[in-house]
Amino acid sequence: KMSKREPSGCIFLTDDPDEVKSKILKAKTDTIDGITYDLEKRKPLSNLIHILASVRNVDARTLAEEFGHFDHFRFKMKIAEEISEYFVNFKEKYSVIQRADVEEILALGTLRASKLASSKLEEFVSIHNK
């Protein structure tokens, strides 16, 4: 999550690569050159470093050193690229799960409707056969 106050700044697991890129590029940084990790003086940039460090499962300071020579735009592009790649498999599984859930709900609905219809038909036949 990149902004607690503004949902449009949140990155969702189901965002497509263009949405991720747009949100990352709009993220605040600062006017200081280079990429360094400093939670007090460079909090917005440190937040972006944390995002990529979480995706890579590495230390934020080590990551900042790796990208220290990048400008903000290039660093944001790298974050967007890696986040999009990281969640590709999740998005594919998510769509399969959604389809499976819908199919299960439809199957259960069909079964319930069939049982109810059979019951009503038996009731109707029994009343009219008397």
Side-chain angles (χ1 to χ4, degrees), residues 80-112:
E81 174 189 312
E82 290 198 27
I83 288 173
S84 295
E85 286 177 19
Y86 183 79
F87 288 113
V88 165
N89 289 335
F90 173 82
K91 287 169 60 172
E92 289 172 4
K93 289 177 185 175
Y94 181 79
S95 66
V96 169
I97 289 169
Q98 281 191 313
R99 280 194 302 271
D101 288 344
V102 169
E103 289 172 6
E104 181 181 346
I105 290 167
L106 289 173
L108 288 172
T110 301
L111 182 62
R112 287 182 187 148

Side-chain angles (χ1 to χ4, degrees), residues 39-118:
L39 283 172
E40 291 185 25
K41 295 179 185 171
R42 302 189 82 181
K43 192 170 185 167
L45 182 63
S46 294
N47 185 35
L48 290 173
I49 293 168
H50 268 289
I51 291 170
L52 185 55
S54 296
V55 167
R56 286 187 171 189
N57 197 27
V58 298
D59 178 68
R61 291 185 194 285
T62 304
L63 189 75
E65 289 174 17
E66 177 185 342
F67 291 99
H69 63 286
F70 276 45
D71 61 40
H72 294 183
F73 178 78
R74 216 168 118 206
F75 183 60
K76 287 179 178 184
M77 291 297 288
K78 184 66 174 170
I79 294 169
E81 174 189 312
E82 290 198 27
I83 288 173
S84 295
E85 286 177 19
Y86 183 79
F87 288 113
V88 165
N89 289 335
F90 173 82
K91 287 169 60 172
E92 289 172 4
K93 289 177 185 175
Y94 181 79
S95 66
V96 169
I97 289 169
Q98 281 191 313
R99 280 194 302 271
D101 288 344
V102 169
E103 289 172 6
E104 181 181 346
I105 290 167
L106 289 173
L108 288 172
T110 301
L111 182 62
R112 287 182 187 148
S114 178
K115 285 181 181 179
L116 181 60
S118 293

